[in-house]
Amino acid sequence: MNINYHKNEENHNPIFANIFALDGKIALITGGGSGIGYEIADCMAMAGATVIITGRRELPLKEATGKLGKNVHYIVNDVTELDKLEGLVAEIESRFGTIDILVNNAGINMKKPALEVTDEDFSRIIHTNLSAVFALTRAVANGMVARQSGAILMISSMAAYYGIDRVVAYAASKSGVEGMVKVLASEFSKFNVRINAIAPGFIETSMMKTAMSSDPDRMNRALNRTPMAKFGKPKDIGWAAVFLASEGASYITGASLPVDGGNSIGF
Ligand code: NDP
């Protein structure tokens, strides 16, 4: 995008409108039927993108697209079925066009003391939050690399930043995602494909409520180390995702952006 920074001295709004806009972009957001994914879809659609959301359950996806408007579409897809991910990408590209933005948002959590976590528990979390994220990223990045254009976003977690008890598998999966971002940024940069993570703090979604509702001590600890003294809203992640996917972030790759009200630096 060629931008003349001096062109709009009287009214600089058009520059901002352009540089953060996603007009004409095709965005795939996994787990977009609820929570953070839903709000990323809303923000990206408002920024001008055509958005495809996925998830395992059709009903929330249908309700979400009904609310999000005509530029948001859904496809039922379980990211853990790795052999169907190439087909998902092919279907999107034939129906809507090539994918410009991938947001690996779908994820699951499990709260259990480490000594009670079975191999099956551990594998299930790693399979959804890490193996599927890699498989889908590879499937989408193949085309992005060939086209020499694309932006990929991972949704990490504070669990990859510091030691939160009783989420050993989840923390391992999100730490893996953080490592993957650095490796893929170094491999993909020469193809003009950027990859970054957003590390949400404690964001009010059903996942967060499940983890906190029966554990007021955990909720108070999370809040007490958050300098802004409040939980985040899913839209806080949505706007950060728009920024990282836009031309405004064209020199940002391999980064992990905390969107956490200061939680990661709280004392
Ligand atoms: P939710 O549980 O509200 O939403 C998760 C979404 O992922 C759902 O739409 C779900 O749809 C979908 N999903 C789950 N498993 C699969 C699967 N196998 N295939 C496809 N879709 C799937 O969680 P959040 O919105 O809170 O979390 C979104 C992301 O943000 C996750 O990666 C999470 O780890 C991360 N995060 C959240 C934080 C928070 O405080 N809320 C903090 C840090 C990170 P369905 O069930 O229909 O498949």
Side-chain angles (χ1 to χ4, degrees), residues 195-219:
I195 177 161
N196 292 292
I198 293 173
F202 293 87
I203 309 294
E204 286 172 350
T205 67
S206 59
M207 181 189 281
M208 196 270 249
K209 283 175 194 146
T210 307
M212 298 290 195
S213 58
S214 56
D215 197 345
D217 178 51
R218 197 177 190 81
M219 193 159 91

Side-chain angles (χ1 to χ4, degrees), residues 1-110:
M1 185 188 283
N2 288 325
I3 291 164
N4 180 350
Y5 287 91
H6 304 289
K7 210 166 130 187
N8 298 289
E9 278 162 358
E10 286 176 16
N11 175 358
H12 56 258
N13 282 341
I15 284 174
F16 286 98
N18 286 341
I19 202 153
F20 300 116
L22 303 178
D23 290 315
K25 303 283 185 194
I26 306 289
L28 165 59
I29 304 171
T30 63
S34 64
I36 290 174
Y38 175 93
E39 299 296 344
I40 296 174
D42 193 22
C43 293
M44 286 197 170
M46 279 193 258
T50 296
V51 179
I52 297 91
I53 57 175
T54 68
R56 294 165 298 184
R57 293 165 301 143
E58 183 161 17
L59 190 59
L61 291 170
K62 210 174 193 170
E63 287 173 356
T65 50
K67 284 189 269 178
L68 289 170
K70 65 178 178 23
N71 289 333
V72 183
H73 310 267
Y74 77 84
I75 297 177
V76 176
N77 174 267
D78 182 341
V79 290
T80 64
E81 296 177 3
L82 305 189
D83 56 350
K84 295 203 177 138
L85 296 178
E86 300 269 2
L88 171 69
V89 174
E91 181 183 344
I92 291 169
E93 303 209 331
S94 74
R95 282 175 60 190
F96 304 101
T98 54
I99 298 170
D100 302 292
I101 300 162
L102 166 65
V103 184
N104 284 298
N105 164 78
I108 54 171
N109 198 354
M110 182 193 55

